[in-house]
C-alpha cells in the first residue's frame, strides 16, 4: 500500500512525443486500485462494526435509563413505605396512649370506689361498735338496777353417781330324788333327734 509520501514521490517516465510511460502508469494505477479496494472493504467492515457498536451503546443507554427509572421507582416506593409505616406507628402510639389513659382513669375510679367502700365500712363498723358499747352499758345498768337484795346461794354442783353394779345371778341346785330329772334327761333336739320308731 502506498503511503501519502510515496504517492507524492511517484514519477512517471515520459515517452517520445511528451506522454507518460503507460507501463509505469498502469503499474501505479494497479497498485492504487488494489489499495483502494482494500480500503473500501475495510471501510465497509468498520461501518458494520460501528453500527453494531452503536446498537449496543443504544441498548446500554436504554438499559441504563431503565435501571435509573427502576432505582427511582424503588426509592419512591421505599419512601412511601417508610411514610406509611410512620403514619401507622403514630396511629398505634396514639391508640396505645389513649388506651393507657383510659385504663389509668378506670383504675383511679376503681381505687376511689374501693376507698369509698372502705370508708363506709369503717363508719359502719364504728357505728356498730358504738351501738354494742351502748347496749353493754344499758345491760350493766339494768343488772345493777335489778340486782336482788338477798341473792340466792349458789346451788352445789351435783355429785357424780357411781354406775350400778349388776346383781349376782343365783344358781338353783337340782332337787334330790326329783323324778322329773330322770324323765327329761334323755331329751334330744335337732338333727340328732331320734323318736325311737323304726320305719
Amino acid at each position: 500500500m502506498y503511503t501519502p509520501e510515496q504517492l507524492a514521490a511517484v514519477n512517471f517516465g515520459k515517452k517520445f512525443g511528451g506522454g507518460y510511460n503507460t507501463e509505469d502508469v498502469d503499474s501505479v494505477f494497479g497498485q492504487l486500485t488494489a489499495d483502494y479496494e482494500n480500503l473500501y472493504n475495510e471501510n465497509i467492515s468498520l461501518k458494520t462494526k460501528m453500527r453494531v457498536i452503536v446498537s449496543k451503546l443504544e441498548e446500554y443507554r436504554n438499559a441504563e435509563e431503565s435501571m435509573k427509572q427502576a432505582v427511582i421507582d424503588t426509592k419512591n416506593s421505599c419512601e412511601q413505605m417508610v411514610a406509611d409505616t410512620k403514619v401507622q406507628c403514630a396511629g398505634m402510639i396514639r391508640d396505645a396512649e389513649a388506651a393507657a389513659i383510659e385504663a389509668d382513669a378506670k383504675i383511679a375510679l376503681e381505687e376511689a370506689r374501693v376507698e369509698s367502700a372502705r370508708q363506709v365500712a369503717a363508719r359502719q363498723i364504728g357505728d356498730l361498735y358504738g351501738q354494742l358499747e351502748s347496749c353493754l352499758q344499758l345491760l350493766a345498768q339494768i343488772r345493777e338496777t335489778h340486782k336482788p337484795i338477798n341473792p340466792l346461794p349458789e346451788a352445789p354442783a351435783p355429785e357424780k353417781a357411781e354406775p350400778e353394779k349388776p346383781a349376782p345371778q343365783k344358781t338353783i341346785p337340782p332337787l334330790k330324788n326329783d323324778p322329773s330329772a330322770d324323765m327329761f334327761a334323755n331329751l334330744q333336739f335337732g338333727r340328732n333327734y331320734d323318736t325311737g320308731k323304726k320305719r
Side-chain angles (χ1 to χ4, degrees):
M1 178 182 291
Y2 283 107
T3 63
E5 292 81 7
Q6 290 175 346
L7 189 59
V10 171
N11 189 10
F12 296 109
K14 293 181 179 182
K15 287 186 176 183
F16 180 78
Y20 291 105
N21 189 354
T22 56
E23 292 179 0
D24 293 340
V25 173
D26 291 339
S27 175
V28 173
F29 188 75
Q31 184 66 37
L32 289 175
T33 302
D35 293 341
Y36 178 79
E37 186 178 357
N38 291 332
L39 290 174
Y40 182 82
N41 292 330
E42 288 179 1
N43 189 20
I44 292 174
S45 178
L46 290 174
K47 286 181 179 181
T48 304
K49 291 179 180 179
M50 285 296 295
R51 291 192 189 95
V52 174
I53 292 173
V54 170
S55 177
K56 292 293 183 183
L57 286 175
E58 191 66 25
E59 291 179 2
Y60 293 151
R61 287 175 183 174
N62 294 334
E64 184 180 4
E65 292 296 329
S66 300
M67 291 176 66
K68 287 181 180 179
Q69 188 62 39
V71 170
I72 293 172
D73 294 340
T74 303
K75 183 180 178 181
N76 294 333
S77 178
C78 292
E79 291 177 353
Q80 185 64 37
M81 289 175 63
V82 171
D84 294 341
T85 303
K86 287 181 179 179
V87 172
Q88 292 178 0
C89 291
M92 292 172 67
I93 291 171
R94 286 196 301 270
D95 294 341
E97 290 176 350
I101 292 171
E102 185 179 358
D104 291 339
K106 289 182 179 179
I107 291 171
L109 179 62
E110 191 66 22
E111 289 178 350
R113 290 175 59 185
V114 171
E115 183 63 25
S116 177
R118 288 178 179 174
Q119 293 177 1
V120 171
R123 285 196 299 270
Q124 292 179 353
I125 291 171
D127 294 340
L128 289 174
Y129 272 121
Q131 292 175 7
L132 287 173
E133 289 179 356
S134 299
C135 290
L136 291 174
Q137 290 176 1
L138 289 173
L139 288 173
Q141 291 176 3
I142 292 171
R143 183 178 181 183
E144 291 295 329
T145 302
H146 296 81
K147 191 174 183 180
I149 299 173
N150 296 319
L152 295 175
E154 294 182 358
E159 296 180 357
K160 294 182 180 180
E162 295 181 0
E164 296 182 358
K165 295 180 180 181
Q169 296 180 357
K170 296 180 179 181
T171 58
I172 301 173
L175 298 175
K176 295 181 179 180
N177 299 323
D178 187 0
S180 61
D182 295 335
M183 185 182 300
F184 297 103
N186 295 324
L187 287 177
Q188 295 179 357
F189 298 96
R191 294 179 179 178
N192 298 326
Y193 175 72
D194 186 8
T195 57
K197 293 181 181 181
K198 295 182 180 180
R199 295 180 182 178

